[in-house]
Amino acid sequence: MKQTFFLILLTALMTVSCGSRQEATGSATTVYNEEKPLPGDTTLYGLACEGCTDSLLVFLPFTGGDPDTFDILEARLARRVLGRPAMGDRIAVIRNGEDSAAADLVINIDALQKAWYYQVQPRLRLRLQHPDSAAKAPALPDSMRRRWMQPREYALTFKRNHVVLSTGMWRRSQREAQAPVEYPKAKRYRQWHIFNGHLILAETRRDTLGNEQVLSTDTADIRMLRRDTLVLRFADREQGYYSKRDSSQKSAR
């Protein structure tokens, strides 16, 4: 089932990449909509309008037409309104299956688009953890432990046009390769999408022709989205992030 879901997402992402390339060569009157859903995505995309409250979302869909008004009180009580909507913010909405005037999930896309940081801890290399290595390698003294057991800061930066940049450890220098500790590798995410309320992060690379190929995807649920806090729940863990309130964040939006 998981493999089938991955193949569906992989095909959808590849389709969107090709579609975006084709649209760029279209007529000058074509309006590019960066929130175009993936195939099979039931999420509604649009703008928050004047009149939004803690219980109501006034929503102008990108597909056109008049604004819709969604009851979001139950979603807010269930902590499913992620990022407080403000007029002009780009919003993703999952409509309630039984009541079309209510929303089950609201994601403020503009609130997501910034640099989110998290810290990773080093761990002793396996050769030092092996029971048989006790006689060969002495325990790290406190001075060396303080020197090497330092956390590092990684980051995910969400941008427009479904671009995400990863900052972390991929290649190790010779000095780090000889260190008694190692840091986890960060995945090189390059694309992000909303798919039926889930956050899809994709690792990609460009082939010799310059086409972007999706290598793998990870699916996460946004558990919390506040001005300075983001929490993502992956299949195997829950990861918290924090933001830095400075002018550099404006470039991420």
Side-chain angles (χ1 to χ4, degrees):
M1 181 68 180
K2 184 177 180 180
Q3 292 180 342
T4 303
F5 181 63
F6 170 77
L7 289 174
I8 293 173
L9 286 178
L10 192 64
T11 302
L13 289 171
M14 293 294 290
T15 301
V16 169
S17 298
C18 296
S20 299
R21 190 177 301 274
Q22 292 172 356
E23 289 176 3
T25 62
S27 65
T29 59
T30 300
V31 178
Y32 174 64
N33 176 14
E34 67 180 52
E35 304 307 336
K36 181 179 180 180
L38 294 174
D41 183 18
T42 60
T43 310
L44 305 176
Y45 299 95
L47 299 175
C49 300
E50 184 178 5
C52 294
T53 67
D54 287 343
S55 59
L56 293 177
L57 171 67
V58 183
F59 177 82
L60 179 65
F62 286 143
T63 54
D66 296 329
D68 292 326
T69 300
F70 291 102
D71 183 346
I72 61 172
L73 179 59
E74 292 297 327
R76 183 175 295 279
L77 293 176
R79 298 181 180 179
R80 301 271 288 170
V81 177
L82 303 167
R84 182 181 293 273
M87 186 174 67
D89 286 346
R90 288 170 300 142
I91 304 294
V93 175
I94 297 293
R95 193 193 298 266
N96 184 280
E98 298 179 357
D99 183 0
S100 61
D104 282 341
L105 176 66
V106 177
I107 301 173
N108 188 331
I109 295 175
D110 279 340
L112 177 66
Q113 289 186 170
K114 61 170 69 173
W116 294 101
Y117 299 86
Y118 62 105
Q119 290 190 344
V120 297
Q121 298 290 337
R123 61 192 175 202
L124 287 175
R125 293 190 180 277
L126 291 178
R127 67 173 181 266
L128 297 181
Q129 296 179 5
H130 195 280
D132 295 337
S133 67
K136 302 176 184 178
L140 288 178
D142 290 341
S143 59
M144 186 174 291
R145 190 173 286 273
R146 285 192 297 268
R147 176 186 176 186
W148 290 106
M149 302 300 287
Q150 297 292 328
R152 285 187 177 177
E153 190 174 68
Y154 292 0
L156 286 177
T157 303
F158 292 89
K159 296 189 174 186
R160 287 180 178 255
N161 299 325
H162 303 292
V163 173
V164 61
L165 301 179
S166 299
T167 303
M169 175 70 69
W170 298 301
R171 296 180 180 177
R172 294 178 172 85
S173 65
Q174 183 176 359
R175 178 175 177 271
E176 289 172 331
Q178 297 173 349
V181 300
E182 59 184 350
Y183 290 84
K185 291 184 178 180
K187 291 195 173 183
R188 291 192 176 191
Y189 295 124
R190 288 295 180 263
Q191 287 185 17
W192 70 271
H193 293 270
I194 300 294
F195 186 82
N196 293 332
H198 305 291
L199 178 64
I200 308 300
L201 297 170
E203 290 187 286
T204 68
R205 71 177 178 188
R206 293 193 179 276
D207 59 21
T208 56
L209 298 178
N211 298 314
E212 195 168 26
Q213 296 180 332
V214 177
L215 302 178
S216 66
T217 62
D218 286 327
T219 302
D221 288 327
I222 304 175
R223 304 299 296 169
M224 181 183 296
L225 177 57
R226 296 178 179 173
R227 180 178 298 178
D228 57 359
T229 305
L230 172 67
V231 178
L232 299 181
R233 178 178 290 175
F234 293 87
D236 58 347
R237 72 190 189 282
E238 191 166 271
Q239 178 67 57
Y241 305 81
Y242 56 91
S243 68
K244 298 179 180 180
R245 301 180 183 179
D246 56 29
S247 58
S248 64
Q249 291 183 7
K250 295 180 181 179
S251 63
R253 298 190 59 175

